[in-house]
Each structure stands twice: as C-alpha cells, then as structure tokens.
Amino acid sequence: MNIKTLQKKIRDLLKEKNAILLAHNYQRPEIQDVADITGDSLGLSLEAAKTEAKIVVFCGVHFMAETASIVCPDKVILLPVISAGCPMADMITAHSLIQKKREHPGVPVVSYVNSSASVKAESDICCTSANAIQVVSSLVGHDTVLMTPDKNLARYTQRFTDKKILYWEGFCPYHDRLTAAQVKSVKNDHPQALFLAHPECRPEVIDLADEVKSTSGMLEYVKKTESREFIIGTETGIIHTLETQNPDKVFVPADKKMICTDMKKIYLDDIVKALVTSSPVVKVEEGIRVRAYRAVERMLKIPRD
Ligand code: 13P
Ligand code: SF4
C-alpha cells in the first residue's frame, strides 16, 4: 500500500475505534503528517490526558508511552513498536538510583521525563528539557540536587543555579555525538544562520548556540523570530515540521547523522496493525504509577518556558 492509502486507512481506523494518534517531533514525516497532534515528550502526554478518546496511539518511544499511562491510567496506550526505547532512559534503573540515593541522603532527585516509570517512582520531581531550570529552582531549602539520567541537561541547568547539581552519567547517544568542530564548520558554511541546540547537547556545543530549546521550544521560536536560516542541533526528524510550518525559512542539520534509530522504528503499517489488534499496550503497574505520578504532578505545577 502506498503512503496516502495507509494514511487514509489509519484515519478511518482512528475514527472507528475512537482513538487519537500522537506523534513526537522526531517521528517519520508520513507519521507526523497523519497524526492528530505532534509535539514534545511531555506535551504529548498532556494531550493524552486531555482527550476524550479511549485509545491513544503513541508514536514515540517507550518512556513517552509510559508517561501517558502515568497521567491517564484509564486510557489504553498503544506503542506500535514495543521495542522502541530510549538508550538514555535505559542508562539508569530504579535499583541503581536507590543505591545512589543512599550515598546522598536528603538530596532531592530530579529525573528527566526520559526515564522509566520505575525511575520516576524513585524521584522527587520530574523535569523536561523545557522546564529543568524552573524545576531545580523550585526546590527551595535544598542546596544540592541530583539530576538523572542526562548529564548534559544537568550541566546545562547548572549554568542557571547556585545550587550544586550532582548528576547521573547518562547521555543521549545522538545529541552527545554532535561536536563543537562540526557546529563551527556548519556555521562557517552558513554565516547568517542561527544555531539552535537541544539541552541534551554537550556543554561545548551549548556554548556555540544562539538559543537552547526543547523540540517544541524550537518550533515556537522559529515561528516568531525574523531570522530566515537556522542550524538545527537536535534529531533531524524535527526538520520536517520546521519546514512545513515555515516554508519561507531554511533549516540545516548540524549533523545529518543525528537520527534516533528508536524514534524511526515505527512505520505506517505498524500503526494500522496496532489499531486493528489493539496492541502492544503500555500500562504502568498501579503501585509504580501512583509514585511516578507524584513526581510528574509536582513538576506540572511549575510553569514551562
Ligand atoms: P523533547 O522533550 O524536547 O521533545 O525531547 C525528547 C527527546 O527525546 C530528546 O531527545
Ligand atoms: Fe532517547 Fe536520544 Fe532518542 Fe531522545 S533522541 S529518544 S533522548 S535516544
């Protein structure tokens, strides 16, 4: 079946099953185009919580579907390819976090949403790439915090706070591969372009950025700024949405190889199959969910940028 036929089949099935299709900004273009809503990891989970639909097809990776299950336990959350994970989220387990907490009693744990539900359950509060600074500032009365699992997000946040940030040594293999030398070379070829970096990039790459933003932050920023050319320092899937929303602007990847293979595991066929079979389901076990929800809910009370 060709793309248009598959997309039509998906739209028909979504209607028939009272389902909604959410796609992360890094998904394949044909999936972003057929989705009801595209967005960043947390934004999509909040959309899942808001919808009247009983079934949510989440095109993203496992921790995102889990976050949707945490915030809307009454809905059926489908992740069309169950093996779509996040290597960074897998760099920490609940067990290893419990051990680390014993080394630092009383130090609050801030976990990036890119973590499993069981790690969230062991955390005091969650954060996203859009609100990490505000989350850390909200921990009044604590001079030290522990951020997991992304060392780069932690080191970026450290720039904006007097608190001491201890951090887990995790990283995103795709963002962490981008080097300052690569960025300098692309900047050299595009001297007028603004460089937008994701906070998962290394500190020396962040130093070269005109703006540091979450994926949705980048989309918002590009729409409202006058500049016409941008170097994009995040997973290249976002360039599809940037181009669609800003046909008069030019986007250059900082590194063409910043492609998250897990984000690309889902194809249109998988979505059809998921809707027909109502599987694979991602459901967080209630004991873990309730504790993970506390950390997510605490974050949600803090404004996003
Ligand atoms: P965002 O929350 O900015 O969409 O980032 C998610 C992610 O996986 C970044 O690599
Ligand atoms: Fe995880 Fe990186 Fe892929 Fe985002 S881009 S899902 S952080 S591996």
Side-chain angles (χ1 to χ4, degrees):
M1 259 191 260
N2 67 27
I3 287 181
K4 284 268 168 284
T5 314
L6 279 167
Q7 286 174 328
K8 162 92 174 57
K9 196 168 168 72
I10 289 168
R11 293 302 327 161
D12 290 347
L13 280 164
L14 287 166
K15 203 164 164 198
E16 183 192 317
K17 307 258 171 177
N18 187 20
I20 186 171
L21 180 60
L22 307 180
H24 188 264
N25 294 322
Y26 297 160
Q27 288 288 297
R28 294 178 180 281
E30 65 274 21
I31 291 179
Q32 296 197 37
D33 289 345
V34 74
D36 291 289
I37 298 166
T38 56
D40 65 7
S41 45
L42 180 73
L44 290 177
S45 290
L46 296 179
E47 291 295 341
K50 269 198 272 172
T51 179
E52 302 268 291
K54 290 302 287 174
I55 300 175
V56 175
V57 184
F58 207 120
C59 291
V61 294
H62 197 267
F63 78 81
M64 296 181 184
E66 273 194 335
T67 309
S69 172
I70 291 166
V71 298
C72 41
D74 53 327
K75 299 201 169 102
V76 175
I77 313 295
L78 302 178
L79 177 63
V81 175
I82 201 71
S83 66
C86 168
M88 173 163 69
D90 293 342
M91 289 176 188
I92 182 168
T93 62
H95 178 73
S96 55
L97 178 54
I98 290 168
Q99 282 183 316
K100 186 58 109 189
K101 287 202 298 187
R102 283 198 195 115
E103 289 168 30
H104 302 284
V107 171
V109 177
V110 179
S111 285
Y112 191 20
V113 282
N114 294 39
S115 57
S116 68
S118 49
V119 165
K120 289 184 177 79
E122 289 300 331
S123 306
D124 293 279
I125 186 166
C126 285
C127 75
T128 74
S129 51
N131 66 10
I133 299 161
Q134 294 92 322
V135 167
V136 168
S137 308
S138 78
L139 297 168
V140 177
H142 293 277
D143 297 337
T144 307
V145 304
L146 170 63
M147 288 185 78
T148 82
D150 186 12
K151 64 176 178 185
N152 288 333
L153 180 65
R155 292 185 292 187
Y156 173 64
T157 308
Q158 183 67 83
R159 297 176 188 225
F160 301 91
T161 178
D162 293 334
K163 294 184 200 298
K164 179 169 184 205
I165 299 188
L166 308 174
Y167 55 83
W168 203 263
E169 289 284 344
F171 58 92
C172 165
Y174 308 103
H175 287 82
D176 195 65
R177 58 168 280 138
L178 181 63
T179 64
Q182 277 175 301
V183 175
K184 282 182 191 157
S185 156
V186 184
K187 274 182 164 235
N188 207 33
D189 294 342
H190 301 271
Q192 302 303 323
L194 291 182
F195 171 49
L196 310 186
H198 194 278
E200 288 176 17
C201 293
R202 295 179 190 187
E204 60 272 24
V205 167
I206 297 284
D207 287 341
L208 297 171
D210 293 291
E211 295 288 336
V212 180
K213 301 264 178 213
S214 69
T215 56
S216 290
M218 285 185 194
L219 291 164
E220 272 165 45
Y221 177 77
V222 166
K223 263 194 219 165
K224 64 174 199 235
T225 185
E226 302 270 286
S227 305
R228 304 190 68 77
E229 196 179 8
F230 303 86
I231 300 164
I232 302 300
T234 193
E235 212 272 355
T236 58
I238 198 175
I239 292 182
H240 173 69
T241 318
L242 285 165
E243 286 175 344
T244 310
Q245 293 182 354
N246 308 276
D248 54 333
K249 297 187 178 180
V250 174
F251 303 96
V252 184
D255 173 358
K256 286 194 192 106
K257 292 190 180 141
M258 274 172 94
I259 300 172
C260 174
T261 48
D262 280 86
M263 278 285 180
K264 305 298 192 242
K265 279 187 176 169
I266 302 173
Y267 288 86
L268 291 172
D269 288 312
D270 300 310
I271 302 174
V272 172
K273 203 165 152 212
L275 280 162
V276 170
T277 62
S278 296
S279 68
V281 172
V282 172
K283 182 146 185 72
V284 175
E285 189 268 309
E286 191 59 11
I288 293 175
R289 190 197 73 79
V290 170
R291 289 164 58 225
Y293 184 66
R294 247 181 258 144
V296 174
E297 192 189 27
R298 197 169 165 198
M299 166 188 72
L300 293 179
K301 297 203 170 122
I302 292 164
R304 303 182 78 192
D305 75 8

